[in-house]
């Protein structure tokens, strides 16, 4: 099974920060998003106003957090990082909101996970830079009006559809981050191999990029594994063959799928006769959470046309049967 397979996982690892671009110019791809952001930053600075609130959506590992760190650094301001899953009540937001500096950034990752009362609390914070703080309880409760420093909220979500319209509408800038081209991923691999002091030729970079599920985080994770493998098995030399052997060893196939991705397809075909079947049924059978499947596994399977989603559930495509060498 795919569990315990660090390299294949799509969760952040400590290397994320060392390989993460620090300036917008170091970012590869997403040209249209970068152009628009540069204009918005430029204009806001010209007016001496904080940048409008920004919402990024898209599958994990495509650069949402990276944007949330490079934008404040372009603007010469600070950023506080929060996660929607950790903000259970409005009071959990207070430390962040009261700490805001003029024009600084508050980043809330997984913003679709904040509960409704928190969401409503954000409305006035975002719109009027003002919050109400309730002191005391019951009949003794008093409401205190508190002015915030004008700030920029950057929200990130893998599920734009789960955000309520009133919250979504309060973001002036909304950007969808799409998949990366092979060319962009090759460039990311090349640049990061320089940072890692590991010579990687074009063919090797292409093998890694090709098996990285169109996702920079995957490209970085695969590159780090290739480095370990090359150091331990090939005296530090990286070739296309070595990349292939290294990635084969951890179960990454020629489409870039890992064991969990193939486990999903296998479950769908073997247990559910190729579907249509519900996500929860697949998740229960695989013993993983449906959130994990929906966030980390399905987006690339959908993009690769290995599965389709309909109202009746998920279905494996002919391409998926061919890839797993099974017959429908
Ligand atoms: P997300 O927040 O969307 O899950 P991240 O911003 O954490 O994704 O990106 C994961 C890693 O991928 C980053 O640490 C960074 O090294 C790399 N990365 C993401 N986007 C880019 C990009 N446009 N150019 C270069 N590297 C990138």
């Amino acid at each position: 099974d795919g569990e315990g397979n660090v390299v294949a996982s799509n969760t952040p690892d400590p290397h994320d920060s060392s390989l993460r671009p620090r300036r917008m110019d170091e970012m590869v791809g997403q040209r249209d998003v970068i152009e628009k952001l540069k204009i918005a930053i430029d204009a806001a600075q010209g007016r001496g106003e904080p940048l409008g609130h920004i919402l990024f959506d898209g599958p994990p590992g495509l650069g949402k957090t990276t944007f949330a760190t490079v934008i404040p650094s372009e603007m010469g301001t600070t950023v506080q990082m929060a996660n929607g899953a950790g903000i259970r009540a409005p009071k959990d937001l207070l430390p962040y909101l009261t700490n805001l500096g003029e024009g600084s950034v508050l980043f809330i990752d997984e913003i679709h996970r904040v509960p409704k009362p928190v969401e409503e609390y954000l409305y006035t914070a975002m719109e009027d830079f003002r919050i109400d703080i309730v002191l005391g309880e019951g009949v003794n409760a008093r409401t205190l009006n508190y002015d915030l420093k004008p700030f920029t909220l950057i929200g990130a979500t893998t599920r734009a559809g789960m955000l309520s319209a009133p919250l979504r509408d309060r973001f002036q800038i909304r950007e969808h981050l799409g998949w990366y081209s092979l060319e962009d991923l090759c460039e990311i691999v090349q640049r990061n191999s320089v940072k890692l002091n590991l010579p990687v030729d074009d063919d090797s970079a292409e093998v890694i990029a090709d098996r990285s599920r169109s996702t920079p985080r995957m490209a970085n994770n695969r590159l780090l594994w290739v480095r370990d493998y090359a150091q331990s098995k090939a005296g530090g030399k990286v070739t296309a063959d070595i990349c292939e052997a290294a990635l084969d060893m951890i179960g990454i196939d020629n489409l870039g799928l890992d064991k969990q991705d193939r486990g999903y397809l296998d479950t769908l075909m073997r247990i559910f006769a190729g579907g249509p079947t519900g996500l929860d049924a697949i998740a229960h059978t695989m013993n993983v959470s449906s959130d994990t499947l929906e966030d980390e596994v399905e987006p690339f399977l959908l993009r690769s046309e290995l599965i389709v989603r309909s109202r009746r559930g998920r279905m494996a495509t002919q391409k998926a049967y061919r890839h797993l060498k099974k017959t429908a």
Side-chain angles (χ1 to χ4, degrees), residues 4 10 45 54 81 171 233 307 311:
N10 198 7
Q45 287 187 325
I54 309 173
M81 314 280 264
F171 289 96
K233 295 257 189 194
I307 58 168
R311 196 164 303 152

Side-chain angles (χ1 to χ4, degrees), residues 287-303:
N287 201 19
V288 296
S289 83
S290 45
D291 278 355
T292 302
L293 293 185
E294 193 165 6
D295 278 348
E296 294 176 17
V297 175
E298 291 195 325
F300 188 72
L301 296 181
L302 285 162
R303 166 192 160 85

Side-chain angles (χ1 to χ4, degrees), residues 181-191 202 205-207 209:
S181 68
L182 198 60
E183 214 183 341
D184 288 341
L185 290 171
C186 277
E187 189 172 339
I188 291 173
V189 170
Q190 296 279 21
R191 286 191 191 193
D202 290 350
E206 201 173 314
V207 171

Side-chain angles (χ1 to χ4, degrees), residues 97-99 129-133 144-149:
L97 293 175
T98 53
N99 253 330
F129 302 125
R130 190 175 54 74
I131 50 171
D132 291 335
I133 299 175
L144 200 83
N145 232 268
Y146 187 91
D147 285 328
L148 302 172
K149 301 266 168 53

Side-chain angles (χ1 to χ4, degrees), residues 10 12 15-21 26-30 34 58-67 107 109 156 158 177 180 188 192 215-218 220:
N10 198 7
H15 292 285
D16 249 25
S17 47
S18 63
L19 297 181
R20 175 170 280 148
E26 291 172 31
M27 292 186 75
V28 175
Q30 307 290 356
I34 291 176
L62 296 190
K64 297 180 295 296
T65 308
T66 304
F67 271 115
F107 174 55
D109 200 3
T158 49
L177 299 189
Y180 287 64
I188 291 173
N192 288 340
T215 306
R217 176 179 295 144
M218 295 279 178
N220 289 345

